[in-house]
Amino acid sequence: MSDFCYLCGNSGATRPLKLAASFTAHSAARAPHSDRLCNRCDAPINGSEKLLWYWHGAKSKWSRLWGRSLTRLYLADRLVCPVIEGSHTERGKAFPIVRDLPTRAQMRGWLLEPPEPPFTIVIAESGQKHILPWAIEARDRDYFPVQLELDVIWVRRAEFAAIAACFESLMTMGFSKTEILSGEYHSDRLTRVYPHHEAHEDVVAPYRGSRLLALVSHVAQRPEADND
Ligand SMILES: [Zn+2]
């Protein structure tokens, strides 16, 4: 019997293959004849990262988070963000504690100044789907894969930086992410900055509708903003 992970296809899989009837992505399984899952895939599906407690400092309360909903950064096989350690019991349920959830600004940093490879970036949008199994490990800081929900986006760092700079310049001019993504700029704002937005718009326009621009938008920050 092979030791490949049914989902991600990596070797060394030791956990039994256990997926809920609601799991529908079987056609994407990378080792469809295997009857095993690796620890990393198994953890948010059946294992220690399925449900987690998160301390909401601002709300002064514990919230339950699904492990599948996390945006993650791995260095080789080590999860470095967020941090999952210890455990907490609340309302009679004991789960591991997750802390240091990444902000959009941090994710932006991963993309513009990636860590030394190998690293793996997984960015969740809906929090509803298992996306970790499909993530591909990056081997190069200047050209690397990013798992954005169910899509693998190959990022050329210099290109990404150029689009992000223009996207953020448009945000600084007062345009919303929705306006920039659609190209339907509000006429009041347009009149105020015309024609200074054009150089930025010309860079963004060819990417409109692409998942790469969705990734830019997901992490883009107004320069004066210090968080999401
Ligand atoms: Zn796996």
Side-chain angles (χ1 to χ4, degrees), residues 58-73:
K59 297 183 188 168
S60 289
K61 65 167 199 157
W62 290 93
S63 303
R64 217 177 54 161
L65 287 188
W66 292 95
R68 65 168 186 247
S69 73
L70 302 179
T71 288
R72 296 161 178 254
L73 173 67

Side-chain angles (χ1 to χ4, degrees), residues 24-145:
T24 55
H26 293 282
S27 63
R30 298 207 178 117
H33 301 293
S34 172
D35 62 355
R36 301 184 193 192
L37 292 175
C38 71
N39 283 331
R40 197 176 82 171
C41 288
D42 185 65
I45 295 177
N46 306 305
S48 58
E49 297 174 11
K50 185 174 184 180
L51 278 164
L52 305 160
W53 285 119
Y54 174 70
W55 175 250
H56 260 290
K59 297 183 188 168
S60 289
K61 65 167 199 157
W62 290 93
S63 303
R64 217 177 54 161
L65 287 188
W66 292 95
R68 65 168 186 247
S69 73
L70 302 179
T71 288
R72 296 161 178 254
L73 173 67
Y74 289 86
L75 295 184
D77 292 330
R78 191 166 59 92
L79 178 66
V80 293
C81 187
V83 174
I84 299 175
E85 65 180 15
S87 83
H88 174 74
T89 303
E90 186 81 10
R91 287 165 254 159
K93 303 279 187 193
F95 301 129
I97 295 168
V98 61
R99 59 178 169 80
D100 301 341
L101 298 179
T103 63
R104 304 279 181 115
Q106 270 177 290
M107 297 173 207
R108 178 182 182 277
W110 301 346
L111 299 167
L112 292 173
E113 288 295 332
E116 282 303 313
F119 61 87
T120 307
I121 298 174
V122 184
I123 298 180
E125 287 179 311
S126 74
Q128 303 298 310
K129 293 177 176 142
H130 288 292
I131 61 173
L132 181 57
W134 318 126
I136 297 172
E137 187 170 69
R139 301 278 170 187
D140 187 315
R141 296 186 76 224
D142 293 316
Y143 182 56
F144 52 87

Side-chain angles (χ1 to χ4, degrees), residues 12 20 35 57 63 71 74-75 102 107 122 127 136 138 144 146-148 153 161 163 168 180 182 196 203 208 210 225:
D35 62 355
S63 303
T71 288
Y74 289 86
L75 295 184
M107 297 173 207
V122 184
I136 297 172
F144 52 87
V146 172
Q147 188 72 33
L148 177 63
I153 300 168
I163 308 167
E168 292 176 343
I180 302 167
S182 68
H196 302 291
V203 171
R208 201 154 272 139
S210 73

Side-chain angles (χ1 to χ4, degrees), residues 165-209:
C166 289
F167 197 101
E168 292 176 343
S169 293
L170 290 165
M171 289 174 72
T172 304
M173 290 178 170
F175 297 114
S176 69
K177 289 185 177 182
T178 307
E179 287 176 289
I180 302 167
L181 284 171
S182 68
E184 290 164 15
Y185 296 107
H186 196 278
S187 57
D188 288 357
R189 286 190 274 280
L190 206 52
T191 310
R192 204 162 59 233
V193 301
Y194 187 86
H196 302 291
H197 76 295
E198 282 185 337
H200 307 305
E201 164 62 16
D202 288 349
V203 171
V204 168
Y207 298 96
R208 201 154 272 139

